[in-house]
Amino acid sequence: MGELLYACNENRLVGLSGFGVKTQQQIIRSIEFLQSNADKLHFNEAESIATEIIISFQKNGWKAEMVGELSRKCEIINLLEIIVGSNALNWNFIHGILAGFNFTPASGDSETQRFTSSSCTLPMVIHFALPEDWSVLKFKLQSTSEFLEAVQFTDLSFSTEDSFFLNRSLPFIVPEMRENKESLESARLISDPSRIVSFSDLKGCIHNVLLS
């Protein structure tokens, strides 16, 4: 791919049969797009990796959920983030689980650690929460800073996300909509913002294109 890009930049494809300036420019744009997204994953790929790891934690009696871009189901994922919870912090156990997926610790502190893998293009961040901190930390990690500011979020304790929204006279807003102030305004206008589009809502044909 690098050689092809070099040939295009040297204007060598224009002289070949079937190639023109427009085709050459399109090839350059395509290659540059692939290179700029080489360290990212489509949501479905990232979700598959995170789900397997979450299941491993849950099988051992730990709580585990997706947070960050994964929880908001962003189309492109830049970072794998999972929150895990137990009655006691045990990073050795966490390291053991992730080692089974070829992730090794790279940096971090007592509550959050970053992992890298030779078999995955994305780094992973694991956040640990005790039971009493679970709801607040999960909510914070599943929302963008802009959304948190819009809902006037503080680190004050609350038992459930439902109670957080109820105390602010807001409808429950699913993680997929916790993006920005506009998301909050949209949720105010929707009769049931806890419900997102499902397969049963589709009334016609949709053309899906898989990019790999």
Side-chain angles (χ1 to χ4, degrees), residues 141-155:
L141 294 171
Q142 288 185 336
S143 309
T144 65
S145 57
E146 184 179 347
F147 180 82
L148 293 174
E149 182 179 356
V151 296
Q152 300 178 346
F153 172 83
T154 64
D155 288 323

Side-chain angles (χ1 to χ4, degrees), residues 190-206:
I190 301 174
S191 59
D192 185 7
S194 66
R195 182 180 180 277
I196 58 177
V197 176
S198 64
F199 283 112
S200 61
D201 296 309
L202 304 181
K203 305 301 182 183
C205 296
I206 293 180

Side-chain angles (χ1 to χ4, degrees), residues 1 11 25 42 51 61 68 100 110 112 140 157 170 176 207:
M1 186 180 297
N11 224 30
Q25 289 302 315
H42 288 110
T51 298
S110 61
T112 300
K140 183 177 181 180
S157 177
L170 292 171
E176 290 90 330
H207 181 62

Side-chain angles (χ1 to χ4, degrees), residues 44-57:
N44 65 309
E45 298 174 290
E47 181 190 36
S48 177
I49 296 171
T51 298
E52 289 188 29
I53 294 173
I54 287 173
I55 291 174
S56 292
F57 277 105

Side-chain angles (χ1 to χ4, degrees), residues 1-13 24 28 31 35:
M1 186 180 297
E3 293 179 354
L4 177 58
L5 180 60
Y6 176 79
C8 289
N9 287 329
E10 291 293 311
N11 224 30
R12 296 181 181 179
L13 266 64
Q24 182 172 264
I28 292 175
I31 293 176
Q35 291 178 337

